[in-house]
Each structure stands twice: as C-alpha cells, then as structure tokens.
Amino acid sequence: MLVTILTDASWCPQTKAAGWGAWIATDRGKKQTGGAFKSMVPCNTTAEVLAITHALYKAITNGLLFKNDTVLIQTDSIPAISLLSTTRRSSNQLEADSLFYFMNLCLDNNLTVHFKHVKAHTNREEARFKANTLCDAIAKNFMRTARKKLQNEANASKRTDKTTKFSSYGKRKVRRSARFN
C-alpha cells in the first residue's frame, strides 16, 4: 500500500529551537501531527531530517504504515532528501543519529521509500502544496512554543545568576542620613 507523508520543519537561528509538522495520508486514514524538539537543533537541515524521521515513526505508531508498505515522503528540503537517500553525509551528530534511526525504521519494517521535493511557499492549489502550507504552519507554531520555552529558561537562568552574584557580595550596607535618626 502507498503511504504519503508530507513534512516540514521550522527552525530559529537565534535560539536553535525547532518544530515540525506532518500530514500522513493513506487508504487506512489521514493524520495531521507535529511537535517541538526538546533539545536545540544546530541547523535547518537537521530540523528537516528530524521532522521526516518523526513523521515516519508517527505513521508507524498510529497504524497508518505497516510492514512492506511503500512510502512517498514529500518535503521542501533538498538537503534532507539528499541525506536520507544516502547521497550526502551528515553534518552533525544529531543528523547522523536521525539518519541511523530512519534507516532502522525502514529496514525493520521492510519499507520501500521514495522522496519527492515540494516547492515551498507557493500559492498553488494542488493538494500537496496546500498540505505543505499546513505542515509549515504546524511546524512554526511548535517552533514558537519551543523558542518561548528556551527564552524563559534563559531568562530564569539570568535571574538566578544575578541573585547568586548579588548574594556573593554579602549584605548591602545602608547609610542612614542624619535627619532620619
């Protein structure tokens, strides 16, 4: 059976926060899914590779993808396609780990995988372009959530650092003026 998975990722270069979105469609059903990555992601390509891997995993765990199925993965990331079709080497450990996990999912489930590039940010009316726009919106929302969480953690850390620095100086001495005595 053919299972179509369309994915997108959103990545913030300042905070390294990232999110992903996916649309999974098959005769067994359809599912829209996504999430925020728990750790910082070093680059956009890594976020796209992670998005594809997470979507493939979700398709399997949600009963939309079975052993021996054929999978058509559509993404707007040519570098991610190159990496996952083994024509490009991974550029960091997170990408390498995701590639390893992706390959194991494919091998363990005897999947036949095909990739197709989808041009992003178009106003075309075909279903795959609309699905890409949906995935982009899902990914952006999760990225914003992840970015806000990282920024809140950084601000909390700064407040803690200031308090620690202040308390390391001991108590501040207060000078009293003569008129209040």
Short mmCIF file of all heavy atoms in Angstrom, two decimals, residues 145-181:
data_model
loop_
_atom_site.label_atom_id
_atom_site.label_comp_id
_atom_site.label_asym_id
_atom_site.label_seq_id
_atom_site.Cartn_x
_atom_site.Cartn_y
_atom_site.Cartn_z
N THR A 145 6.62 27.76 20.26
CA THR A 145 6.46 27.22 21.61
C THR A 145 7.82 26.83 22.19
O THR A 145 8.14 27.16 23.33
CB THR A 145 5.52 26.00 21.60
OG1 THR A 145 4.26 26.40 21.07
CG2 THR A 145 5.35 25.41 22.98
N ALA A 146 8.63 26.13 21.39
CA ALA A 146 9.96 25.71 21.84
C ALA A 146 10.86 26.92 22.09
O ALA A 146 11.60 26.96 23.07
CB ALA A 146 10.60 24.79 20.80
N ARG A 147 10.77 27.92 21.22
CA ARG A 147 11.60 29.12 21.37
C ARG A 147 11.22 29.87 22.65
O ARG A 147 12.09 30.30 23.40
CB ARG A 147 11.42 30.03 20.15
CG ARG A 147 12.25 31.30 20.23
CD ARG A 147 12.21 32.09 18.95
NE ARG A 147 10.85 32.44 18.58
CZ ARG A 147 10.50 32.85 17.37
NH1 ARG A 147 11.39 32.93 16.40
NH2 ARG A 147 9.25 33.18 17.11
N LYS A 148 9.92 30.00 22.90
CA LYS A 148 9.46 30.68 24.11
C LYS A 148 9.96 29.95 25.36
O LYS A 148 10.41 30.58 26.32
CB LYS A 148 7.94 30.77 24.12
CG LYS A 148 7.37 31.62 25.22
CD LYS A 148 5.86 31.67 25.11
CE LYS A 148 5.46 33.12 25.00
NZ LYS A 148 4.02 33.28 24.85
N LYS A 149 9.91 28.63 25.33
CA LYS A 149 10.38 27.84 26.47
C LYS A 149 11.88 28.05 26.69
O LYS A 149 12.33 28.26 27.81
CB LYS A 149 10.09 26.35 26.23
CG LYS A 149 10.49 25.47 27.39
CD LYS A 149 10.17 24.03 27.14
CE LYS A 149 10.64 23.19 28.32
NZ LYS A 149 10.57 21.78 28.03
N LEU A 150 12.66 28.03 25.61
CA LEU A 150 14.10 28.25 25.73
C LEU A 150 14.40 29.66 26.24
O LEU A 150 15.29 29.85 27.08
CB LEU A 150 14.79 28.04 24.38
CG LEU A 150 14.98 26.60 23.93
CD1 LEU A 150 15.49 26.54 22.50
CD2 LEU A 150 15.93 25.87 24.86
N GLN A 151 13.66 30.65 25.75
CA GLN A 151 13.88 32.02 26.20
C GLN A 151 13.50 32.18 27.67
O GLN A 151 14.20 32.86 28.43
CB GLN A 151 13.08 33.00 25.33
CG GLN A 151 13.67 33.14 23.94
CD GLN A 151 12.77 33.90 22.98
OE1 GLN A 151 11.55 33.95 23.16
NE2 GLN A 151 13.37 34.47 21.96
N ASN A 152 12.42 31.54 28.10
CA ASN A 152 12.02 31.59 29.51
C ASN A 152 13.08 30.93 30.40
O ASN A 152 13.40 31.44 31.47
CB ASN A 152 10.66 30.93 29.73
CG ASN A 152 9.52 31.75 29.17
OD1 ASN A 152 9.66 32.95 28.92
ND2 ASN A 152 8.38 31.11 28.96
N GLU A 153 13.62 29.81 29.94
CA GLU A 153 14.68 29.14 30.70
C GLU A 153 15.92 30.00 30.78
O GLU A 153 16.57 30.08 31.82
CB GLU A 153 15.01 27.79 30.08
CG GLU A 153 13.92 26.75 30.27
CD GLU A 153 14.16 25.48 29.48
OE1 GLU A 153 15.17 25.39 28.74
OE2 GLU A 153 13.32 24.56 29.59
N ALA A 154 16.26 30.67 29.68
CA ALA A 154 17.44 31.55 29.67
C ALA A 154 17.22 32.74 30.59
O ALA A 154 18.13 33.12 31.34
CB ALA A 154 17.73 32.04 28.25
N ASN A 155 16.02 33.31 30.59
CA ASN A 155 15.73 34.44 31.48
C ASN A 155 15.76 34.01 32.94
O ASN A 155 16.26 34.74 33.79
CB ASN A 155 14.37 35.06 31.14
CG ASN A 155 14.41 35.80 29.82
OD1 ASN A 155 15.47 36.22 29.36
ND2 ASN A 155 13.25 35.96 29.20
N ALA A 156 15.24 32.85 33.24
CA ALA A 156 15.28 32.33 34.61
C ALA A 156 16.71 32.10 35.05
O ALA A 156 17.07 32.39 36.19
CB ALA A 156 14.48 31.04 34.71
N SER A 157 17.53 31.62 34.13
CA SER A 157 18.94 31.39 34.44
C SER A 157 19.65 32.71 34.72
O SER A 157 20.46 32.81 35.63
CB SER A 157 19.61 30.67 33.27
OG SER A 157 20.98 30.54 33.50
N LYS A 158 19.32 33.75 33.94
CA LYS A 158 19.94 35.06 34.16
C LYS A 158 19.53 35.63 35.51
O LYS A 158 20.34 36.20 36.22
CB LYS A 158 19.53 36.04 33.05
CG LYS A 158 20.23 35.78 31.74
CD LYS A 158 19.74 36.75 30.69
CE LYS A 158 20.33 36.42 29.34
NZ LYS A 158 19.82 37.30 28.28
N ARG A 159 18.25 35.47 35.87
CA ARG A 159 17.78 35.96 37.18
C ARG A 159 18.51 35.23 38.30
O ARG A 159 18.92 35.83 39.29
CB ARG A 159 16.28 35.78 37.31
CG ARG A 159 15.47 36.80 36.53
CD ARG A 159 14.00 36.76 36.93
NE ARG A 159 13.38 35.47 36.68
CZ ARG A 159 12.78 35.12 35.55
NH1 ARG A 159 12.74 35.96 34.54
NH2 ARG A 159 12.23 33.94 35.41
N THR A 160 18.70 33.94 38.16
CA THR A 160 19.41 33.15 39.16
C THR A 160 20.86 33.59 39.26
O THR A 160 21.40 33.74 40.35
CB THR A 160 19.35 31.64 38.81
OG1 THR A 160 17.98 31.27 38.70
CG2 THR A 160 20.02 30.81 39.86
N ASP A 161 21.48 33.85 38.12
CA ASP A 161 22.88 34.30 38.11
C ASP A 161 23.01 35.64 38.82
O ASP A 161 23.92 35.85 39.60
CB ASP A 161 23.41 34.42 36.68
CG ASP A 161 23.60 33.07 36.02
OD1 ASP A 161 23.57 32.06 36.75
OD2 ASP A 161 23.76 33.03 34.79
N LYS A 162 22.09 36.58 38.58
CA LYS A 162 22.15 37.89 39.23
C LYS A 162 21.99 37.75 40.73
O LYS A 162 22.70 38.37 41.49
CB LYS A 162 21.06 38.81 38.67
CG LYS A 162 21.35 39.32 37.28
CD LYS A 162 20.23 40.21 36.80
CE LYS A 162 20.49 40.65 35.36
NZ LYS A 162 19.38 41.44 34.82
N THR A 163 21.05 36.91 41.14
CA THR A 163 20.83 36.72 42.57
C THR A 163 22.07 36.10 43.21
O THR A 163 22.50 36.54 44.27
CB THR A 163 19.62 35.78 42.80
OG1 THR A 163 18.50 36.34 42.14
CG2 THR A 163 19.34 35.59 44.26
N THR A 164 22.66 35.14 42.53
CA THR A 164 23.85 34.50 43.06
C THR A 164 24.99 35.51 43.18
O THR A 164 25.67 35.57 44.19
CB THR A 164 24.28 33.33 42.15
OG1 THR A 164 23.19 32.42 42.06
CG2 THR A 164 25.50 32.61 42.71
N LYS A 165 25.18 36.31 42.14
CA LYS A 165 26.25 37.31 42.18
C LYS A 165 26.00 38.33 43.28
O LYS A 165 26.90 38.72 43.99
CB LYS A 165 26.37 38.02 40.82
CG LYS A 165 26.97 37.15 39.75
CD LYS A 165 27.02 37.89 38.44
CE LYS A 165 27.56 36.99 37.35
NZ LYS A 165 27.55 37.65 36.05
N PHE A 166 24.77 38.75 43.40
CA PHE A 166 24.44 39.74 44.42
C PHE A 166 24.66 39.17 45.80
O PHE A 166 25.25 39.81 46.66
CB PHE A 166 23.00 40.20 44.26
CG PHE A 166 22.58 41.23 45.26
CD1 PHE A 166 22.96 42.55 45.12
CD2 PHE A 166 21.83 40.86 46.36
CE1 PHE A 166 22.58 43.48 46.05
CE2 PHE A 166 21.45 41.80 47.29
CZ PHE A 166 21.82 43.11 47.15
N SER A 167 24.22 37.93 46.02
CA SER A 167 24.34 37.35 47.35
C SER A 167 25.79 37.01 47.68
O SER A 167 26.14 36.92 48.84
CB SER A 167 23.46 36.10 47.48
OG SER A 167 23.90 35.11 46.59
N SER A 168 26.64 36.86 46.68
CA SER A 168 28.04 36.55 46.97
C SER A 168 28.77 37.76 47.54
O SER A 168 29.83 37.63 48.14
CB SER A 168 28.75 36.05 45.70
OG SER A 168 28.84 37.09 44.75
N TYR A 169 28.22 38.95 47.35
CA TYR A 169 28.84 40.15 47.92
C TYR A 169 28.44 40.36 49.37
O TYR A 169 28.94 41.23 50.05
CB TYR A 169 28.44 41.40 47.11
CG TYR A 169 29.00 41.41 45.72
CD1 TYR A 169 28.16 41.31 44.63
CD2 TYR A 169 30.36 41.53 45.51
CE1 TYR A 169 28.66 41.31 43.35
CE2 TYR A 169 30.87 41.53 44.23
CZ TYR A 169 30.02 41.43 43.16
OH TYR A 169 30.53 41.44 41.89
N GLY A 170 27.52 39.60 49.85
CA GLY A 170 27.05 39.75 51.21
C GLY A 170 25.94 40.79 51.29
O GLY A 170 25.45 41.27 50.28
N LYS A 171 25.59 41.18 52.49
CA LYS A 171 24.51 42.15 52.67
C LYS A 171 24.99 43.55 52.31
O LYS A 171 26.13 43.91 52.59
CB LYS A 171 24.02 42.14 54.11
CG LYS A 171 23.31 40.87 54.49
CD LYS A 171 22.79 40.96 55.89
CE LYS A 171 22.06 39.68 56.25
NZ LYS A 171 21.56 39.71 57.62
N ARG A 172 24.12 44.28 51.70
CA ARG A 172 24.44 45.67 51.37
C ARG A 172 24.32 46.51 52.63
O ARG A 172 23.41 46.32 53.43
CB ARG A 172 23.48 46.21 50.31
CG ARG A 172 23.71 45.59 48.99
CD ARG A 172 22.81 46.09 47.91
NE ARG A 172 22.20 47.38 48.17
CZ ARG A 172 21.31 47.96 47.40
NH1 ARG A 172 20.91 47.36 46.32
NH2 ARG A 172 20.79 49.13 47.69
N LYS A 173 25.25 47.41 52.78
CA LYS A 173 25.19 48.33 53.92
C LYS A 173 24.30 49.50 53.55
O LYS A 173 24.39 50.03 52.45
CB LYS A 173 26.57 48.81 54.29
CG LYS A 173 27.44 47.71 54.84
CD LYS A 173 28.76 48.23 55.26
CE LYS A 173 29.61 47.11 55.83
NZ LYS A 173 30.92 47.56 56.22
N VAL A 174 23.45 49.89 54.47
CA VAL A 174 22.55 51.00 54.22
C VAL A 174 23.05 52.19 55.03
O VAL A 174 23.26 52.09 56.24
CB VAL A 174 21.10 50.66 54.65
CG1 VAL A 174 20.18 51.82 54.44
CG2 VAL A 174 20.64 49.42 53.89
N ARG A 175 23.28 53.30 54.34
CA ARG A 175 23.70 54.52 55.04
C ARG A 175 22.47 55.28 55.46
O ARG A 175 21.56 55.49 54.68
CB ARG A 175 24.54 55.37 54.11
CG ARG A 175 25.85 54.69 53.74
CD ARG A 175 26.65 55.51 52.81
NE ARG A 175 27.14 56.67 53.54
CZ ARG A 175 27.76 57.68 52.98
NH1 ARG A 175 27.96 57.71 51.69
NH2 ARG A 175 28.19 58.69 53.69
N ARG A 176 22.46 55.70 56.66
CA ARG A 176 21.33 56.48 57.16
C ARG A 176 21.73 57.94 57.16
O ARG A 176 22.82 58.31 57.56
CB ARG A 176 20.95 56.07 58.56
CG ARG A 176 20.43 54.65 58.59
CD ARG A 176 19.99 54.32 59.97
NE ARG A 176 19.51 52.95 60.00
CZ ARG A 176 18.95 52.40 61.05
NH1 ARG A 176 18.81 53.08 62.15
NH2 ARG A 176 18.55 51.15 60.99
N SER A 177 20.81 58.75 56.77
CA SER A 177 21.10 60.17 56.82
C SER A 177 20.77 60.69 58.21
O SER A 177 19.99 60.10 58.96
CB SER A 177 20.30 60.92 55.76
OG SER A 177 18.93 60.84 56.05
N ALA A 178 21.32 61.79 58.55
CA ALA A 178 21.17 62.36 59.89
C ALA A 178 19.74 62.73 60.20
O ALA A 178 19.31 62.64 61.34
CB ALA A 178 22.08 63.57 60.05
N ARG A 179 18.97 63.16 59.23
CA ARG A 179 17.62 63.60 59.51
C ARG A 179 16.66 62.49 59.86
O ARG A 179 15.56 62.73 60.33
CB ARG A 179 17.09 64.48 58.40
CG ARG A 179 16.90 63.75 57.11
CD ARG A 179 16.33 64.69 56.07
NE ARG A 179 15.68 63.85 55.08
CZ ARG A 179 15.48 64.20 53.87
NH1 ARG A 179 15.82 65.38 53.45
NH2 ARG A 179 14.89 63.40 53.02
N PHE A 180 16.99 61.21 59.57
CA PHE A 180 16.09 60.11 59.91
C PHE A 180 16.44 59.47 61.25
O PHE A 180 15.78 58.57 61.68
CB PHE A 180 16.14 59.02 58.81
CG PHE A 180 15.50 59.47 57.53
CD1 PHE A 180 16.25 59.66 56.40
CD2 PHE A 180 14.14 59.75 57.47
CE1 PHE A 180 15.67 60.09 55.23
CE2 PHE A 180 13.55 60.18 56.30
CZ PHE A 180 14.32 60.36 55.17
N ASN A 181 17.48 59.90 61.90
CA ASN A 181 17.86 59.29 63.17
C ASN A 181 17.07 59.84 64.31
O ASN A 181 16.72 60.83 64.59
CB ASN A 181 19.35 59.47 63.44
CG ASN A 181 20.14 58.55 62.54
OD1 ASN A 181 19.62 57.55 62.10
ND2 ASN A 181 21.36 58.93 62.26
#
